[in-house]
Amino acid sequence: MSVILGCLATAAILPSALASSSHLAALALQNVLDKASPIFGSYINRAPGRAEWMKAYPDDTPLVHLNIPGTHDSATWNYDQATQRSLKGITDLNQVTVPVPETFRCQDLPFIDMLDMGIRAFDLRYSFDPTNTTLVFYHGPALLSETSTVDDVLFGFYQWLDDHPSETIFLSFQHESSTAKYTSNNAELQLNLYNILVSPEARHYFLQKKDQLGALGEARGKIILLRRFDLDQLDSSYTEDLPGLHFSPSLWTDNSPDISLVYNSKKNMTAFIEDYYQPLTPTGSSAVENIKWKFNATKRHLLKATTGLEDSLFWTFASGTNTANTPPDWPRIIATGNGSDLTPEGGVNHQLVSFFEAF
């Protein structure tokens, strides 16, 4: 027997092969973007406009000095009766009762439109799909899409940043715990999320800076991770390996207008947060009262940011709901009113516009 060990000869790469490879890569990316479209929307690279508003600010602008517009429960834009009905066969596997779609829907536009309109912060709620296979998006027990995985949607953000390298995006990730009867934020789920956030693609697009916000220049073309989750079922080295700012859910006070969380103890950096999502009005309160309570909490928090704390991080939620009311005040009503004389000043959105214009 003769064993001959040698080196591989390197074949010349012909132009046609390069073209084929490029074509396949484009097809693969398009396939991922198509799967992401129920959440991200159909990808279109439009004219810049507001999509590049950060260009107007110099590179040395501290990120904490910018007002970053964002959306709460960002992935709910496509959740209506038709969506709920089409997903019922698979959501039945979760063995939970899913209320009417109006309970969960907080947005009207897909991510691609939000980005092009200037939105830069996204509130993302994830958990395992009903087969415990992939991470997908939920709002409470409402499965928002079975086909759009967290990984797929991230590629939409990556592509958008390639097309708009002057911009930076903030992504808040939070585990949704009420998705299924037997759901668990276990080690398998946490490892799945970890692997997504440390993939080669994520390492490239997520700003690899930890526990602090720097200047806009270093963040251009990058994503800043806001970690509203713990990896407490994994070794501590997994948490240490992740970039971004950590806001442990164990320290996030539920339904509070005034939360303070230290995200960098060495430098004593604190985030001030308003997350008063359900006004604690008396039973039977009108929509006007619920809107007023939510608007006042939001306004107070915004004013607090102007009182000698300009170098601090403020995180303000302008959204709210009161589904216990009769009739219920859905998120849409708190945001925009109910379209009748019963909410003459509109919702929180309208009143915030007047507040900013007069400030």
Side-chain angles (χ1 to χ4, degrees):
M1 180 177 68
S2 176
V3 178
I4 303 174
L5 303 179
C7 294
L8 290 174
T10 303
I13 301 177
L14 299 176
S16 59
L18 289 173
S20 296
S21 176
S22 177
H23 180 63
L24 285 173
L27 287 175
L29 176 60
Q30 189 58 54
N31 182 53
V32 172
L33 296 177
D34 287 345
K35 288 194 297 180
S37 62
I39 299 296
F40 196 85
S42 298
Y43 196 93
I44 301 173
N45 187 13
R46 302 184 178 95
R50 293 180 184 172
E52 295 183 349
W53 64 265
M54 288 181 166
K55 274 186 175 179
Y57 294 88
D59 283 349
D60 61 357
T61 304
L63 287 171
V64 291
H65 288 182
L66 290 174
N67 292 319
I68 304 295
T71 51
H72 170 234
D73 268 301
S74 307
T76 59
W77 71 276
N78 200 26
Y79 194 73
D80 56 17
Q81 193 63 55
T83 305
Q84 189 178 80
R85 190 182 304 113
S86 69
L87 292 170
K88 187 178 185 305
I90 190 164
T91 53
D92 283 348
L93 297 173
N94 282 335
Q95 300 181 54
V96 291
T97 301
V98 184
V100 296
E102 290 85 355
T103 308
F104 308 104
R105 186 166 180 175
C106 302
Q107 305 300 331
D108 282 332
L109 297 173
F111 289 5
I112 181 69
D113 289 356
M114 293 182 191
L115 286 164
D116 289 344
M117 291 174 65
I119 297 298
R120 293 293 175 269
F122 294 78
D123 174 36
L124 307 176
R125 314 296 178 94
Y126 66 89
S127 192
F128 267 141
D129 78 321
T131 67
N132 289 330
T133 304
T134 58
L135 292 186
V136 293
F137 296 99
Y138 284 87
H139 182 185
L143 174 66
L144 304 178
S145 172
E146 175 64 9
T147 59
S148 295
T149 68
V150 169
D151 213 12
D152 293 335
V153 170
L154 281 177
F155 271 85
F157 286 113
Y158 300 159
Q159 180 61 54
W160 192 86
L161 284 171
D162 278 352
D163 291 333
H164 305 86
S166 62
E167 308 303 293
T168 188
I169 297 170
F170 294 76
L171 296 185
S172 167
F173 279 88
Q174 177 185 355
H175 174 246
E176 199 75 322
S177 60
S178 56
T179 58
K181 184 176 181 180
Y182 300 109
T183 189
S184 173
N185 188 15
N186 55 26
E188 183 182 5
L189 187 148
Q190 292 183 10
L191 184 59
N192 198 308
L193 178 66
Y194 170 82
N195 287 335
I196 291 171
L197 295 176
V198 299
S199 68
E201 299 80 23
R203 292 284 196 198
H204 176 75
Y205 286 98
F206 280 86
L207 183 65
Q208 299 301 303
K209 192 165 187 171
K210 195 176 182 69
D211 299 333
Q212 58 185 310
L213 292 170
L216 175 60
E218 66 179 342
R220 293 193 195 275
K222 300 291 185 180
I223 297 168
I224 294 173
L225 178 62
L226 305 177
R227 292 161 26 222
R228 285 188 65 185
F229 61 85
D230 295 326
L231 299 181
D232 54 351
Q233 301 303 304
L234 304 176
D235 184 82
S236 60
S237 61
Y238 287 85
T239 295
E240 292 301 315
D241 197 30
L242 290 179
L245 311 185
H246 184 211
F247 304 95
S248 175
S250 64
L251 302 176
W252 191 288
T253 309
D254 185 57
N255 199 34
S256 173
D258 193 9
I259 306 169
S260 298
L261 285 182
V262 176
Y263 63 89
N264 187 323
S265 56
K266 292 181 180 179
K267 296 186 177 182
N268 196 30
M269 294 179 175
T270 301
F272 299 95
I273 303 161
E274 179 269 304
D275 189 19
Y276 188 54
Y277 61 85
Q278 181 160 334
L280 299 176
T281 51
T283 302
S285 298
S286 66
V288 166
E289 289 176 283
N290 282 285
I291 291 168
K292 180 179 179 181
W293 281 44
K294 175 61 195 181
F295 171 67
N296 286 342
T298 305
K299 181 175 70 172
R300 279 194 299 270
H301 195 250
L302 293 170
L303 290 172
K304 181 178 179 179
T306 68
T307 57
L309 295 168
E310 291 84 355
D311 291 330
S312 298
L313 172 62
F314 277 77
W315 194 347
T316 309
F317 289 81
S319 54
T321 186
N322 196 335
T323 57
N325 247 11
T326 305
D329 291 322
W330 311 119
R332 178 186 294 274
I333 290 176
I334 299 294
T336 63
N338 61 13
S340 77
D341 293 339
L342 297 178
T343 54
E345 295 182 73
V348 173
N349 290 4
H350 304 95
Q351 295 180 39
L352 278 175
V353 170
S354 299
F355 167 73
F356 286 129
E357 288 177 342
F359 191 75

